[in-house]
Amino acid sequence: MTVSDLCYHCGLPVEDAGSFTSTVAGQEREFCCHGCQTVCETIYSAGLEGFYSKTTRSDTLAPPPVVAKELDAYDLDEVQSDYVDSMGPQRSIQLLIEGIHCAACVWLIEKALKRQPGIIDAEVNLTAKRLKLRWDNSQIRLSQVMQLLADIGYAAVPFDPETAEGALARRHRGLLYRMAFAGFAMMNMMWISIALYAGADEGEFRQWFHWIGFIIATPTLLYSGYPFIKNGLTGLKHRYLTMDLPIAIGATSTYLYSTYVTFTASVTGQVYFDTVVNFLFVILVGRYLEAISKRRALSATQRLLELQPKLANLVEGEEVRIVPIRHVRIGDVLLVKPGGSVPVDGVIVSGESAVNESMLTGESLPVPKQAGDHVVAGSINGEGAFRVRTEEVLRNTALAKIVALMDEAQASKAPIQSLADRIVPWFVLATLTLASITFLYWWQFDFETALLAATSVLVVTCPCAFGLATPMSVAVATGAGAARGVLVKQGEALEQLSRVNHVVFDKTGTLTEGRLRVTTIQPFSAMSESELLRLAASVEQHSEHGVAAAICEAAREKQLRLHENSGFVSTPGKGVTARIEKQQVYVGTAVWLQSQGMTLSAAQVQQLAAMEKQGVSGVLVAIDGEIVGLLGLVDELRKDAVDTVRSLLAAGLKVTVLSGDRQAVVEAVTAPLGDVSRQAEVLPQDKSAVIRQLQQQGDVVAMVGDGVNDAPALIQAEVGMAMASGTDVSVESADVVLSHQELKKVVEARLLATRTLKTIRQNIVLSISYNVIMVPLAMMALVSPLVAAITMPMSSLLVIANAARIGRVFRQRAG
C-alpha cells in the first residue's frame, strides 16, 4: 500500500478514494473521513502544522473520537462546581482527554490552547491522558476550550475518579483477555510439543508440526505480546529504554529464528514456538497478578471512594424524596436514616445518633451526635435518625479532600524514587549488553543454545521489581496513613520525616487544647467584674484570636450586652484596641501596654507573675492609658500530649516548644512534658526564624502546628505537620496533615515514614539480589526462557508483598 492510499492525518487506509480530499499546504491530500479532513484543516489554519513533523508515518493516530453533545452544559456553574477548584474568575480543572497517543499530541494540545486568549496554563500528562487547565472564565468558556480540542481531534470530559477507576478496570480486562488468549494457545501448543519431543521431529510430519506451531504462535505474539512490543518500540522512538524492551527482543528473536527454521525446512534447526507462547503466557500471568496485587495494596483510595453515597434523602417541607448526590446544594436539609451513610458535610439540625467516623479518625467506636454537632460525608450512622443541613458537598467534603491528597501523594515521587527512575534505563542497557555477551559467547558452540541463553538473560533481568520498589511502598504507606488519620501530601515527606531528629511544637492549639477559658477577673478600680469583662469583650468581639473567643464566650455565659466599638486595630501576638463611648480601650499583654506608654504598679506586676507561675496567661485591660483590670486565661495540655512527647524523647529525638506566651506560663503549662526546650514570647512571624536557626545547627526539623498562623514555619521546616479537624484536611502549607486533632498521630506518622523507608531499601536490595543470583545462571545457560519467565514476575510479587506489609505497622504497634 502506498502513502497516497493512507489518510494524511491518521495514517489509516482510505477505503473510498476521492471522497475526502483537501488542498493542504499547496498539495492535494487524501483523508479517510470528514473528521480527519476537518482536524487537519484546523491544525494548518491555526499555524500548528509542526504537529505533523513531530509524528512519524508509522504512527496511526486513529480518527478523531466522538465529541460529547451539548458542551454548553459544562459552562453552568452548577456543573462546574463538581470539578473546579474555585468558582472565581480564574478556574482550574482536570480534563480526561481521549485520543492522546504520543508526545506530538501533547505538543499540539498545549500549543493550541496556550495561544488562546483567556488560557492561563495548560499541562498534559501523557501517561494519565489528563489535561490540567487553568483559564479565565470571563474571557473564554470551558465549552469553547472543549470544542477547540474537538476541532484538533481530541474529546475532553471533566476528570472524575469513578471514570478513572473504570478505565483501570478496562485495562485489567484487556490484560486478562491477552492472558487467556496466550493460555489457550499454550494448551494447544503443548500437544505439538509433546509430539515433537516424542519423535515426530525426525519423521515425515516434522514440517507439518512446525507449520501448526507457527500458526498458533504468530497471533499469540501479535496479540498477547503486542503491549511489550509496542511499549519497547515507543520507548526507543523517544530514546528511552523501557522495561518491556528486553521481553520484546527475547520473544521476537526466538519467534523469528523459529520462523526461519520453518520456512527454510531446515533439517538440523529446532523450532521454539512453544517457548515463545509459554513465556508470554507466564509473563502475562505475572503482570495480571501484579496488577491485582497493586490494586489491593492501593485499595485504601478505592475504599474511601466507595464511602461516598450516590443518593441522598432530600427533605422538602413534609416530604422526603431520594435525589442524586449531585443535585444536593449547600443549605439543603437531608434525612440520614439508621444504618445509612452521611452523604455530605454538615450540621445536625434535629435528631441524635451515634456515628462511626473511623474513615477519618481510625477509631472504631461510634461518636455520639446531637443537634448542633458536625458530621462528615462517608461516616456511618448508627441506630438513630437525624436531619443535617448541608455545608459541603462532593469534591469539597473532607472525604473528597482526603482522596485528593492521597492521589497527589501517590502520584508524587520521593527523591529515592527519582534516583531509581534514572537508574532503570541504565539497568535495561546493562541487560541488553549482558544478553549480547551471552549470545556471542555461546554462538561459538551452538547457535540455538546462544539464542535461548540470551533470551533467558533478557527475560530474567527485567527490572520491574526495581521499578516497583519505591512507588509501591509510597502508595501503600499513604493509604495506610490515611486510614489512621495521617494524610501524607507528598512522597518526599515520608523520606524527610524518617530523617527528622528534632520536632518543634507550637504550644497553643497544638500541644494544648487551643480552647482558652477565662478563670480570673480582677478589677484594679471600683469597676465591677461584669463591667470589666463586658468592656474587654466589646473590644475583642471583632477579633478572631483564641483569647478573643474565650473572653467573648465568658461574656455570653454571663449574658452581658456588649458595647459597639469603632476604630478597631489588632496587633498580632500583642493585643487589640478600639474606641468605646469616646474612650480608648486596650486589651493585651503587659509588654505591649508598656510599649504604649502605660505603667504597671508593683502590686499588678506581682499578681501577674503569680498567675503565670500557675500556668495562667494574664491579659490586661486599660482605658485611656490607665490599667483598670486583669483577666486570667488557662489553656490545658491535650490528653495525649505527655505520652506523645515522651515517645519522641524515648526515640532519641529532640523536642522544642514554641509559644507567644511569657516564659513563666510556658514553663508552667509544659512542665509535665519533661526535658524539652522551651522558647517563649515568639511572635508568629518569628517562628520560621527559630526553625531556620535549628537547621543551621545541623538538625532535620519537623514543625507541628495548627496550619493557621504557623504557615511560614511549616514551610521552612523539612517536614510541616498540621493538626486539623476532621473537616479541614487541606492545609496548604503542610506536608503531612493530622486529622481529628490527635497529637499521637505525630508519633504514628514518623513510625510510618521510618517503616516505609526501611521497606523501600529492603525492596531495592531484594530486586538487586534476585538479579545477582539469576543473571549468572541465565548466562551459564542453566535457566531456560520458561523458567526465567516464571521467576521474573515472582520477584515483582515479592516486592509488592513486602510493600503491603507496611499497612501492618499500626497493628503491630497496637499489639
Side-chain angles (χ1 to χ4, degrees), residues 67-85:
V67 180
K69 297 180 180 178
E70 299 179 355
L71 293 180
D72 291 343
Y74 291 110
D75 293 332
L76 300 174
D77 287 347
E78 294 81 9
V79 176
Q80 288 191 17
S81 62
D82 293 336
Y83 303 105
V84 302
D85 293 336

Side-chain angles (χ1 to χ4, degrees), residues 15-33:
E15 296 181 359
D16 192 2
S19 296
F20 302 100
T21 61
S22 178
T23 303
V24 179
Q27 297 185 43
E28 193 75 13
R29 299 294 188 182
E30 195 89 37
F31 301 93
C32 65
C33 63

